[in-house]
Amino acid sequence: MIWLLFLLVFAFLILGLPVGISLAASSLIYILVASKVPEIVVLHRMVNGVDSFPLLAVPFFILAGSLMNTAGITNRIFDFAKASVGWMRGGLGHVNVGASVVFAGMSGAAVADAGGLGTIEIKAMRDAGYDADFSVGVTAASSTIGPIIPPSLPMVIYGVVASTSIGQLFAAGFIPGLLMAVALMIMIAWYAKRRNYPRDLRFSFVFLGQAFARAFLSLMTPVIIVGGILGGIFTPTEAAVAACAYALFLGLVVYRTLTWQRLLRVSFDTIETTSIVLFIVAGASIFAWILTSNRVTEHFAALVLTVTENPILILLMINAILIVVGCFMETIAAITILTPVLLPIAVKLGVDPVHFGVIMVLNLMIGLLTPPVGMVLYVLSRVSGVPFERCVSATAPFLVPLLIVLALVTFVPAISMWLPTLIYR
């Protein structure tokens, strides 16, 4: 009768119900119809799913990202990135990626990057004469760096579900995130030469120094967060609180761009976003519990291993599954549901759970750039005024460098595991 559970989920999603409600409602109906378990178990499992100290990092990182966008910190980051790499051909494209790398060390959410920095980046590129398609494609692709370079909300969720060190996951994402940036900049350089894009400004040490001085306190945010976590000063949850406190200090005291009205609005937005994320986690927790208790995960692992025992082919299959799921399902729900199913297979192949976490998150970030869900594309379509269908076609070429990085991360474990091994083991 497990087919009933999947049928209900897909039916609810097709009807347009929110992901969290679809997962929780389908699980409740399945238990009422096809299980002897008391229905109160649904509430217990949902509560247990979100009753986790590391999950406290979620609302604080969401709040920190919103505060930085509202307080004007992103503008200073963009100006510094422009002074650093804007002199290259197709300069604002490289600036786009560079700014996303810096912002990735603050928020850890692709949608926050697209909605905050994306608005500034697309306007600047349009004003400079860049094609709208190129501007949207670069912005969409660069926003996926956010959840790979620490801190990362998806990795917090994966760490909780997989009972894996979040600190090690953060360290494992650092080099792959930088590799994504390099791959995208190579793609941008190719585009710039082909379309004869200009150099947006001359390199100047004076201009770079001025931009650095103006952005110095903002640039200290990722240093505090990432350095504190990797240095053992903070836990990821404590780092999230420190990020909020520092963003408030910059917005209220230093820059004085954060009014009490803006702070109130940001707080309500954070509460709304956090409630959505945690309800998805709660709904996915009961769904994953049903799969595990019915031994679906074991049967699936056995099925995969009967098809082939070749580690390369199995990893390719897992990547294909994750990318397809990422096209249709929200990232947090996908991690909560698929981790208990796919992680045991990966462990049997000798894949470290930390390494697998990076593979999973990178796959699902690519899914944010693909229809029909494609949350980043919807956000950029709204802020840029470019139709969704055109955003899809504009972003498609930039999937190539991201898929190349995914292949390297999957089959060269040292890319992910060198830093956590150096720091933690």
Side-chain angles (χ1 to χ4, degrees):
M1 288 290 286
I2 199 68
W3 58 267
L4 176 63
L5 182 65
F6 290 99
L7 180 64
L8 289 169
V9 170
F10 287 121
F12 288 146
L13 290 175
I14 291 171
L15 289 174
L17 268 67
V19 175
I21 293 176
S22 298
L23 293 169
S26 59
S27 300
L28 177 59
I29 294 173
Y30 172 82
I31 285 177
L32 291 174
V33 173
S35 175
K36 296 180 181 179
V37 176
E39 57 271 17
I40 194 65
V41 169
V42 173
L43 291 178
H44 286 167
R45 298 305 307 185
M46 290 179 70
V47 171
N48 288 339
V50 296
D51 184 18
S52 170
F53 178 75
L55 282 180
L56 283 175
V58 172
F60 286 110
F61 277 131
I62 292 173
L63 178 59
S66 298
L67 288 171
M68 290 164 198
N69 280 328
T70 306
I73 294 174
T74 47
N75 290 287
R76 288 173 167 81
I77 293 170
F78 181 79
D79 290 342
F80 173 70
K82 187 174 181 180
S84 301
V85 295
W87 53 270
M88 301 169 69
R89 183 177 292 278
L92 284 183
H94 297 293
V95 171
N96 198 318
V97 175
S100 291
V101 169
V102 177
F103 192 71
M106 302 181 185
S107 73
V111 174
D113 186 314
L117 271 173
T119 306
I120 304 168
E121 292 163 343
I122 290 175
K123 183 181 184 302
M125 293 179 77
R126 276 182 166 173
D127 292 344
Y130 287 84
D131 298 331
D133 289 6
F134 178 75
S135 304
V136 170
V138 172
T139 305
S142 65
S143 69
T144 61
I145 298 173
I148 306 299
I149 291 179
S152 166
L153 294 182
M155 286 189 183
V156 171
I157 303 298
Y158 173 85
V160 172
V161 176
S163 299
T164 302
S165 167
I166 296 173
Q168 290 186 36
L169 286 167
F170 281 3
F174 195 78
I175 294 176
L178 295 179
L179 196 59
M180 291 168 69
V182 171
L184 288 173
M185 292 179 80
I186 292 172
M187 183 78 170
I188 291 165
W190 178 80
Y191 257 105
K193 185 176 180 180
R194 184 182 179 192
R195 298 186 179 183
N196 198 29
Y197 285 142
R199 302 176 191 273
D200 293 294
L201 69 158
R202 291 177 178 270
F203 180 78
S204 167
F205 281 109
V206 174
F207 182 49
L208 178 60
Q210 291 173 344
F212 178 75
R214 185 169 177 265
F216 176 75
L217 292 177
S218 300
L219 293 172
M220 286 302 295
T221 309
V223 174
I224 292 171
I225 297 173
V226 179
I229 294 171
L230 299 185
I233 301 171
F234 302 134
T235 66
T237 304
E238 292 166 348
V241 177
C244 289
Y246 189 65
L248 282 171
F249 171 71
L250 292 182
L252 292 173
V253 179
V254 179
Y255 301 143
R256 298 185 179 179
T257 51
L258 191 62
T259 64
W260 291 109
Q261 290 79 6
R262 288 182 176 179
L263 179 58
L264 189 63
R265 187 176 69 249
V266 165
S267 300
F268 280 120
D269 289 344
T270 300
I271 292 170
E272 181 181 352
T273 305
T274 302
S275 62
I276 293 171
V277 170
L278 293 184
F279 192 80
I280 291 172
V281 172
S285 296
I286 180 62
F287 188 91
W289 176 77
I290 291 174
L291 296 183
T292 304
S293 60
N294 283 274
R295 303 181 66 186
V296 173
T297 55
E298 296 178 26
H299 294 318
F300 181 77
L303 176 63
V304 170
L305 293 174
T306 57
V307 173
T308 179
E309 293 187 0
N310 187 315
I312 295 177
L313 291 178
I314 293 176
L315 284 173
L316 287 173
M317 288 172 58
I318 290 174
N319 278 325
I321 291 169
L322 288 169
I323 287 179
V324 171
V325 169
C327 294
F328 295 94
M329 186 172 286
E330 200 275 336
T331 301
I332 303 302
I335 291 173
T336 311
I337 293 172
L338 291 180
T339 298
V341 177
L342 298 178
L343 182 58
I345 302 174
V347 171
K348 285 185 179 179
L349 298 176
V351 178
D352 191 284
V354 173
H355 178 209
F356 186 73
V358 178
I359 294 173
M360 173 172 274
V361 173
L362 182 49
N363 270 290
L364 295 175
M365 289 307 100
I366 293 174
L368 289 177
L369 306 181
T370 55
V373 177
M375 285 302 299
V376 165
L377 299 181
Y378 282 109
V379 170
L380 289 178
S381 177
R382 187 176 69 248
V383 302
S384 68
V386 175
F388 178 79
E389 296 78 11
R390 195 173 162 196
C391 288
V392 173
S393 61
T395 306
F398 292 94
L399 295 177
V400 175
L402 296 180
L403 289 171
I404 291 173
V405 173
L406 173 61
L408 289 173
V409 170
T410 300
F411 297 111
V412 185
I415 294 174
S416 299
M417 296 306 299
W418 178 75
L419 196 55
T421 302
L422 180 68
I423 296 174
Y424 290 97
R425 298 178 183 176

